[in-house]
């Protein structure tokens, strides 16, 4: 005779999930409220006015823009064009061709009239060898480096070695920058007399927007449900999560799509790691670690204004790969620095950020997946179990849909980036459906990511780009 | 027990949903109204834009603009804002300022007292752009009287007071708002008139380091050679960071009374000092330092190397020296820098 009845196990399990979800819901609520206050303050602030002073060369720090490109022949010329027209006093653009197998190199050379130059690169970070360096005729601040394939992290390190300026910005090959993106993210760095050593902004989704020669003409929303859901997801992640965390210097992620870093500090931390798929997060974690170890009061911040528009997968196959990869990247960053978890030496990073990322971000999908499976089981078992099932469903609605709806409303309440009322309605009603289909899907994909970590599979699939610019 | 929980959760979910839907309706209605308002403002703008342009360019502030409704006022503000960005002439700016004062002064007085931070800040930006000196006292009041004033407001108000030549500005900078950042101070000081700036220099030693650094930077920006003796004094008598700033200012001014102390700096342990000293040698074309400048072409710091390249390039026989380095040097970095300067402006 067993000591435990099936019923006891069920009850314990329901309790566990319930407590977990309530904990997470409370945590999100706190973050939501911090974000509301932060964002609302800036309602209708004339951003352009606020950034004008920073266009003065004397005040502004020059920035090196590093663009790692691997097989980006479709979008690279457009991306570079949008970069070259960016509103900032002094900058250079360094495109790193990471051993592409397509015509990325040829397209760049041809389109920008690039000539080989004999520059020596100081190897402050160890990288794969450089083959050639090119400079554009006519655009002396545009460089192209051709190197052996070594992955994104390695390409960024080459860019760091080559770059001339004290700040650098890492950028995905196929993103479209807002006109004054650099002014926005450099503002906190300049304002703080360089106490801020890294700064990132919101990334928005370009699918569905009208883009012409590297500029956003009008903001719109795609008709594809998967893309709409991703828009909501990004709003939620950036507007809610990061503002709250950034306020208390707890930020562990500056999106790989757009972020500015102090070169000196990144080199002191050892540059990008080449053996992880989440090199952007890993770097931020390492910077925090270095700062705490050196007892420096430097900060890493996030600016809520949208700075960059990026293409997201429209196809379920690529979205699935992306999510698996992200989850793996998250795990690697946390695991590589696991000793920071609950370590008093690392203060709030160790006691709030790390536990948050472990419990909510990493183990969240596993708990949720078991919840979904359990829900389905209960539904079939009937009786009291149906009630458990309803309970879990309600909780997951609160947990998933409600916060997403709140994020959509928060956007409209403060930043109002979407021009039409119908856009907001669309986003809102899609976000209601989140817990029914989209969230379970992403949970499943992220669990797949976990499974792959467990069985030790290291392949990480590429994203297919179709080129977003006309 | 589970039933109870379900009940509580259902009520919670439904009520949150209701709240969100109410919020949504509010936001949608607001959006529709705003979009409509924007269209109206745009049509007003099209109406008054040529009139305002005529008034400013012909210096006749005579025609009465429609300004009864907030939307009309908004249109006037927008148009003046657009012109303030493009107008260059002194007189045009003056008329623009007069127009702005005539139509917007009362509105701005009201807005400066707004509860909303972004409204106050936008208003301050406009006052600065339109150069509305009539509102100087209101700006001063905001700065002094407001409880829990934000950093941005402090900085902007001080900037405006500096621009309007407010009599007590130096006292505010030196005694009251001493904790601004160097960058903030710089943006304020750059707007001071000569007389006030000279007064501030007399009190240099009473200022805190951020303000001191800002003063030196403003001298650099203005390339104010008449401050040279002052800066040289500061350079000789200060320590560390202030010293480097003074050196930077001297390099920007591009002239020194006595060159020897700066030649020594070519051997300094600090790269900043080597860099600025190198720059000075290039500007002054001090031939005796050429051998050392060639050595500096393989300095560990990129900034010093680049500056050395530029300095050598500035000498009359600079190109020949660089070509020689390119042909004979063993050091790849020196060659690289020589090559870069020889090919500048390609």
């Amino acid at each position: 005779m067993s000591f435990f009845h099936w019923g006891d196990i069920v009850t314990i399990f329901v309790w566990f999930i319930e407590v977990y979800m309530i904990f997470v819901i409370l945590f999100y609520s706190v973050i939501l409220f911090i974000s509301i206050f932060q964002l609302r303050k800036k309602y209708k602030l004339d951003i352009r006015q606020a950034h004008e002073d920073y266009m003065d060369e004397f005040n502004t720090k020059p920035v090196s823009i590093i663009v790692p490109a691997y097989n980006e022949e479709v979008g690279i010329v457009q991306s570079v064009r949008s970069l070259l027209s960016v509103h900032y006093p002094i900058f250079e653009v360094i495109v790193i061709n990471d051993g592409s197998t397509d015509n990325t190199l040829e397209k760049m050379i041809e389109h920008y009239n690039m000539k080989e130059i004999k520059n020596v690169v100081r190897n402050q970070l160890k990288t794969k060898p450089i083959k050639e360096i090119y400079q554009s005729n006519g655009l002396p601040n545009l460089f192209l480096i051709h190197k052996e394939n070594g992955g994104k992290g390695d390409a960024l390190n080459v860019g760091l070695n080559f770059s001339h300026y004290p700040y650098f910005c890492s950028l995905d090959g196929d993103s479209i920058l807002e006109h004054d993106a650099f002014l926005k993210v450099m503002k906190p760095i300049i304002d703080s007399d360089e106490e801020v050593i890294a700064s990132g902004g919101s990334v928005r989704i370009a699918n569905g927007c009208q883009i012409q020669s590297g500029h956003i003409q009008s903001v719109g929303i795609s008709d594809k449900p998967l893309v709409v859901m991703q828009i909501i997801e990004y709003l939620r992640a950036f507007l809610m999560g990061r503002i709250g965390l950034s306020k208390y210097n707890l930020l562990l992620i500056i999106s790989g799509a757009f972020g500015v870093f102090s070169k000196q500090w990144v080199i002191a931390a050892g540059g990008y790691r080449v053996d992880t798929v989440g090199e952007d997060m890993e770097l931020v974690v390492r910077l925090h670690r270095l700062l705490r170890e050196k007892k420096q009061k430097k900060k890493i911040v996030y600016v809520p204004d949208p700075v960059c528009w990026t293409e997201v997968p429209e196809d379920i196959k690529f979205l699935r790969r992306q999510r698996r990869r992200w989850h793996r990247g998250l795990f690697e960053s946390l695991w590589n620095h696991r000793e920071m978890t609950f370590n008093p030496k690392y203060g709030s990073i160790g006691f709030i950020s790390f536990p948050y990322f472990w419990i909510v971000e990493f183990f969240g999908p596993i708990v949720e997946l078991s919840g979904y499976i359990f829900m389905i089981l209960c539904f079939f078992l009937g009786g009291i179990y149906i009630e458990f099932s309803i309970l879990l469903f309600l909780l997951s609605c609160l947990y998933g849909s409600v916060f997403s709806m709140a994020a959509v409303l928060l956007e409209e309440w403060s930043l109002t980036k979407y021009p039409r009322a119908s856009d907001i309605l669309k986003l809102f009603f899609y976000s209601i459906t989140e817990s029914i289909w989209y969230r379970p899907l992403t949970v499943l994909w992220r669990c797949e990511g976990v499974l792959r970590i467990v069985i030790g599979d290291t392949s990480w699939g590429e994203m297919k780009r179709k080129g977003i610019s006309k | 027990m589970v039933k109870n929980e379900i009940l509580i959760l259902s009520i919670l979910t439904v009520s949150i949903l209701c709240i969100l839907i109410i919020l949504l309706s509010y936001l949608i209605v607001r959006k529709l109204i705003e979009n409509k308002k924007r269209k109206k403002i745009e049509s007003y703008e099209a109406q008054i834009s040529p009139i305002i342009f005529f008034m400013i360019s012909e210096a006749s502030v005579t025609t009465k603009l429609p300004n009864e409704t907030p939307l009309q006022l908004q249109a006037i503000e927008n148009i003046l804002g657009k012109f303030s960005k493009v107008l260059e002439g002194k007189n045009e700016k003056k008329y623009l300022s007069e127009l702005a004062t005539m139509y917007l002064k009362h509105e701005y007085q009201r807005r400066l007292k707004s509860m909303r931070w972004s409204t106050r800040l936008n208003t301050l930006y406009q006052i600065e752009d339109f150069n509305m000196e009539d509102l100087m006292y209101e700006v001063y009041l905001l700065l002094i009287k407001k409880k829990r004033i934000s950093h941005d407001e402090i900085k902007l108000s001080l900037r405006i007071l500096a621009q309007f030549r407010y009599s007590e500005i130096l006292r505010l900078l030196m005694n009251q708002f001493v904790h601004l950042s160097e960058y903030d101070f710089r943006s304020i000081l750059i707007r001071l008139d000569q007389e006030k700036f000279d007064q501030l220099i007399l009190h240099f030693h009473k200022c805190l380091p951020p303000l001191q650094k800002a003063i030196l930077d403003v001298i650099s920006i203005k390339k104010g050679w008449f401050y040279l003796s002052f800066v040289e004094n500061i350079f000789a008598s200060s320590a560390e960071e202030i010293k480097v700033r003074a050196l930077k200012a001297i390099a920007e001014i591009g002239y020194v009374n006595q060159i020897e102390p700066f030649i020594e700096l070519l051997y300094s342990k600090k790269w900043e000092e080597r860099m600025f000293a190198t720059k000075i040698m290039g500007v002054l074309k001090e031939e005796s330092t050429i051998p050392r400048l060639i050595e500096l072409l393989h300095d560990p710091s990129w900034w010093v190397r680049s500056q050395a390249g530029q300095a050598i390039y500035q000498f009359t026989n600079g190109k020949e020296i660089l070509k020689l380095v390119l042909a004979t040097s063993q050091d790849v970095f020196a060659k690289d820098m020589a090559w870069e300067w020889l090919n500048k402006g390609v």
Side-chain angles (χ1 to χ4, degrees):
Chain A
M1 194 177 144
S2 65
F3 289 101
F4 293 108
H5 294 289
W6 168 237
D8 292 336
I9 298 174
V10 171
T11 317
I12 291 169
F13 191 74
V14 170
W15 267 102
F16 166 69
I17 294 199
E18 217 174 303
V19 169
Y20 175 86
M21 284 191 157
I22 289 170
F23 166 75
V24 175
I25 288 171
L26 285 178
F27 189 85
Y28 277 152
S29 307
V30 172
I31 291 191
L32 176 65
F33 279 104
I34 297 172
S35 299
I36 288 176
F37 284 113
Q38 290 291 308
L39 270 177
R40 181 59 181 177
K41 207 177 141 192
K42 295 200 170 155
Y43 179 57
K44 284 195 171 169
L45 179 68
D46 190 344
I47 293 289
R48 236 157 233 245
Q49 285 271 27
H51 288 143
E52 239 163 53
D53 325 325
Y54 299 84
M55 266 311 280
D56 184 349
E57 283 190 20
F58 195 89
N59 291 334
T60 314
K61 315 281 170 203
V63 176
S64 305
I65 307 170
I66 305 175
V67 189
Y70 177 71
N71 291 350
E72 305 256 7
E73 61 171 15
V74 188
I76 191 72
V77 168
Q78 297 286 4
S79 295
V80 170
R81 182 178 303 149
S82 111
L83 284 177
L84 287 168
S85 64
V86 96
H87 193 54
Y88 199 75
I90 314 175
F91 64 91
E92 61 181 357
V93 177
I94 307 165
V95 179
I96 317 287
N97 177 38
D98 191 24
S100 297
T101 51
D102 68 352
N103 289 324
T104 307
L105 185 73
E106 289 74 13
K107 280 217 158 171
M108 279 297 295
I109 292 177
E110 185 196 351
H111 197 274
Y112 291 103
N113 193 11
M114 310 215 64
K115 291 274 165 339
E116 196 174 342
I117 55 169
K118 296 252 171 294
N119 256 24
V120 190
V121 177
R122 185 170 285 266
N123 279 322
Q124 289 174 289
L125 302 165
K126 217 169 118 53
T127 63
K128 287 267 167 70
I130 293 173
K131 286 179 179 163
E132 299 115 36
I133 302 172
Y134 299 87
Q135 185 177 24
S136 167
N137 255 349
L139 298 165
N141 61 340
L142 174 61
F143 298 93
L144 171 66
I145 299 179
H146 180 44
K147 67 176 275 282
E148 270 178 30
N149 183 278
K152 193 174 166 190
D154 193 60
L156 287 165
N157 284 340
V158 167
L160 270 170
N161 279 337
F162 178 80
S163 68
H164 302 115
Y165 296 140
Y167 287 88
F168 77 93
C169 163
S170 66
L171 204 70
D172 273 355
D174 207 352
S175 17
I176 302 291
L177 283 189
E178 290 260 312
H179 188 55
D180 47 4
F182 283 99
L183 293 177
K184 283 177 187 166
V185 290
M186 287 301 287
K187 184 175 187 289
I189 295 178
I190 298 167
D191 276 350
S192 67
D193 276 349
E194 305 183 42
E195 193 185 86
V196 172
I197 60 158
S199 154
S202 285
V203 176
R204 292 289 178 93
I205 291 174
N207 310 45
C209 299
Q210 293 262 348
I211 297 161
Q212 234 156 25
S213 42
H215 291 285
I216 299 273
Q217 297 291 328
S218 71
V219 177
I221 292 178
S222 165
D223 290 325
K224 300 205 170 66
L226 264 186
V227 177
V228 180
M229 290 317 299
Q230 287 181 80
I231 294 179
I232 295 164
E233 210 183 6
Y234 273 52
L235 280 180
R236 178 174 162 161
F238 282 101
L239 291 188
M240 269 179 52
R242 299 208 185 159
I243 295 178
L245 292 176
S246 160
K247 170 96 169 121
Y248 299 100
N249 199 20
L250 294 172
L251 207 61
L252 288 193
I253 299 180
I254 281 189
S255 167
F258 187 84
V260 171
F261 295 85
S262 153
K263 187 163 97 180
Q264 177 199 345
W265 279 98
V266 171
I267 285 182
Y272 284 93
R273 258 182 97 121
V274 293
D275 57 353
T276 170
V277 292
E279 72 288 323
D280 41 356
M281 176 176 183
E282 204 279 334
L283 175 67
V284 176
V285 174
R286 199 140 34 86
L287 281 174
H288 269 303
R289 186 175 187 156
L290 185 69
L291 292 180
R292 301 275 168 157
E293 278 165 8
K294 290 199 166 179
K295 298 206 164 47
Q296 291 271 348
K297 276 222 158 115
K298 304 277 180 184
K299 277 191 202 146
I300 293 172
V301 302
Y302 158 79
V303 187
D305 294 300
V307 289
C308 161
W309 299 74
T310 191
E311 185 192 354
V312 295
E314 294 191 344
D315 198 327
I316 208 158
K317 187 171 116 196
F318 294 109
L319 184 62
R320 180 173 163 195
R321 276 189 200 168
Q322 182 196 46
R323 291 313 151 95
R324 279 201 311 240
R325 193 175 73 233
W326 281 4
H327 213 64
R328 180 188 181 84
L330 173 73
F331 172 77
E332 286 173 347
S333 299
L334 293 174
W335 184 251
N336 282 330
H337 298 278
R338 57 188 177 277
E339 59 277 20
M340 285 172 78
T341 321
F342 292 121
N343 187 337
K345 203 167 133 195
Y346 300 102
S348 50
I349 294 284
F351 277 94
I352 301 175
S353 295
F354 260 77
Y356 163 74
F357 278 96
W358 275 121
I359 298 171
V360 181
E361 297 289 338
F362 184 73
F363 286 111
I366 301 172
V367 179
E368 275 181 65
L369 184 70
S370 57
Y372 290 129
I373 294 171
F374 188 73
M375 212 192 294
I376 296 166
L377 268 180
C378 285
F379 189 74
F380 283 114
L381 290 172
I384 179 141
Y385 300 115
I386 289 190
E387 284 161 358
F388 281 139
S389 179
I390 297 171
L391 187 77
L392 287 177
F393 178 72
L394 285 174
L395 269 174
S396 70
C397 280
L398 272 178
Y399 182 88
S401 299
V402 166
F403 282 105
S404 295
M405 287 187 273
V408 171
L409 294 181
L410 187 57
E411 203 285 339
E412 177 52 27
W413 195 45
S414 56
L415 297 168
T416 54
K417 272 278 167 182
Y418 290 97
R420 287 179 297 271
S422 59
D423 293 338
I424 306 305
L425 281 174
K426 192 168 169 182
L427 287 177
F428 187 83
F429 287 108
Y430 266 96
S431 55
I432 292 183
T433 69
E434 179 170 328
S435 20
I436 305 170
W437 65 285
Y438 185 71
R439 196 162 175 100
L441 273 181
T442 55
V443 162
L444 197 65
W445 295 330
R446 288 156 77 184
C447 286
E448 271 180 19
V450 178
L451 193 69
R452 281 176 181 239
I453 297 164
V454 175
I455 60 174
D457 179 0
T458 53
S459 65
W460 46 293
E462 299 144 24
M463 161 156 175
K464 187 161 167 51
R465 300 199 187 270
K466 61 172 188 153
I468 40 179
S469 194
K470 276 184 189 146
Chain B
M1 193 191 75
V2 178
K3 280 202 171 127
N4 264 339
E5 281 183 16
I6 291 182
L7 191 68
I8 295 170
L9 264 181
S10 309
I11 295 173
L12 193 68
T13 313
V14 170
S15 43
I16 292 180
L17 206 65
C18 288
I19 295 173
L20 287 176
I21 287 179
I22 293 170
L23 268 176
L24 174 75
S25 334
Y26 159 71
L27 289 172
I28 292 290
V29 171
R30 190 182 82 172
K31 183 142 211 131
L32 291 174
I33 294 175
E34 293 269 317
N35 283 351
K36 216 177 205 171
K37 270 190 195 166
R38 195 180 315 127
K39 277 209 180 109
K40 258 193 184 161
I41 292 176
E42 275 165 15
S43 84
Y44 282 136
E45 282 179 14
Q47 245 175 49
I48 59 171
S49 178
I51 307 177
I52 293 186
F53 182 73
F54 178 79
M55 287 201 285
I56 292 175
S57 55
E58 300 295 319
S60 71
V61 188
T62 47
T63 325
K64 176 91 174 69
L65 294 168
N67 65 333
E68 288 87 38
T69 69
L71 294 189
Q72 286 167 331
L73 215 54
Q74 183 66 51
I76 295 178
E77 188 183 354
N78 291 354
I79 293 293
L80 289 177
K82 270 181 202 157
F83 284 141
S84 79
K85 297 274 185 295
V86 292
L87 284 180
E88 288 297 337
K90 204 176 169 192
N91 281 333
E92 280 88 348
K93 281 194 171 167
K94 197 179 124 225
Y95 297 130
L96 184 122
S97 172
E98 274 174 29
L99 270 179
T101 308
M102 189 190 298
Y103 287 104
L104 300 168
K105 185 178 161 188
H106 294 294
E107 174 65 12
Y108 282 3
Q109 281 171 339
R110 195 182 61 77
R111 282 196 208 164
L112 281 179
K113 293 189 187 110
S114 164
M115 293 289 286
R116 191 175 279 160
W117 173 81
S118 54
T119 305
R120 294 193 305 270
L121 208 63
N122 283 341
T123 311
L124 287 173
Y125 279 121
Q126 298 287 40
I127 293 174
E128 184 184 35
D129 276 3
F130 297 153
N131 203 16
M132 295 164 79
E133 291 196 29
D134 277 30
L135 290 171
M136 180 156 79
Y137 185 63
E138 278 82 357
V139 174
Y140 174 75
L141 280 187
L142 176 81
L143 180 67
I144 297 301
K145 290 276 162 68
K146 176 133 184 70
K147 282 175 195 140
R148 296 180 50 194
I149 184 171
S150 72
H151 178 85
D152 290 281
E153 285 167 284
I154 294 178
K155 171 175 122 186
L156 200 48
S157 306
L158 285 170
R159 231 162 70 181
I160 293 171
L161 292 176
Q163 185 178 322
F164 294 170
R165 299 173 301 281
Y166 176 66
S167 55
E168 297 284 290
I169 180 79
L170 295 186
R171 181 181 60 79
L172 293 177
L173 292 178
M174 287 169 53
N175 303 331
Q176 203 163 349
F177 297 99
V178 290
H179 296 296
L180 293 180
S181 75
E182 185 193 324
Y183 169 76
D184 296 336
F185 277 128
R186 204 156 59 206
S187 74
I188 297 165
L189 297 189
I190 199 91
R191 288 168 168 81
L192 283 179
D193 59 350
Q194 179 94 35
E195 193 196 325
K196 285 261 152 41
F197 192 70
D198 291 351
Q199 279 176 26
L200 184 61
I201 282 182
L202 289 178
H203 298 290
F204 185 84
H205 293 287
K206 289 184 206 149
C207 303
L208 290 178
L211 185 54
Q212 290 185 332
K213 286 185 206 163
I215 292 173
L216 291 168
D217 279 349
V218 170
I219 294 176
S220 307
I221 298 170
K222 293 187 166 167
K223 302 195 193 309
W225 55 269
F226 29 88
Y227 300 115
L228 181 64
S229 306
F230 161 73
V231 182
E232 279 189 319
N233 264 329
I234 298 297
F235 172 74
S237 64
S238 306
E240 294 292 320
E241 279 189 71
I242 300 289
K243 197 181 173 93
V244 171
R245 285 312 162 93
L247 187 60
K248 184 178 177 188
I250 294 169
E252 286 296 333
I253 294 169
Y255 186 76
V256 289
N257 290 321
Q258 251 204 326
I259 200 161
E260 285 73 25
F262 301 101
I263 293 179
E264 276 170 36
L265 283 185
L266 292 174
Y267 299 88
S268 164
K269 277 187 186 131
K270 285 195 204 120
W271 71 266
E272 290 99 334
E273 295 190 346
R274 291 197 303 276
M275 177 180 78
F276 290 124
T278 307
K279 187 167 183 180
I280 294 172
M281 297 313 144
V283 179
L284 295 178
K285 300 200 177 67
E286 179 58 41
E287 302 226 348
S288 65
T289 60
I290 288 179
R292 176 59 187 160
L293 291 180
I294 294 174
E295 279 170 34
L296 287 175
L297 276 176
H298 30 103
D299 194 272
S301 156
W302 180 85
W303 294 94
V304 178
R305 292 204 306 275
S306 175
Q307 198 63 63
Q310 183 175 11
I312 296 173
Y313 188 75
Q314 282 166 320
F315 286 91
T316 25
N317 58 340
K319 278 195 177 174
E320 281 68 50
I321 301 174
L322 289 175
K323 274 181 194 156
L324 197 70
V325 171
L326 190 60
T328 58
S329 176
Q330 300 294 316
D331 184 281
V332 279
F333 290 101
K335 280 180 135 169
D336 180 44
M337 204 39 89
W339 188 91
E340 211 171 307
W341 278 100
L342 280 170
N343 288 281
K344 269 276 144 114
V346 170

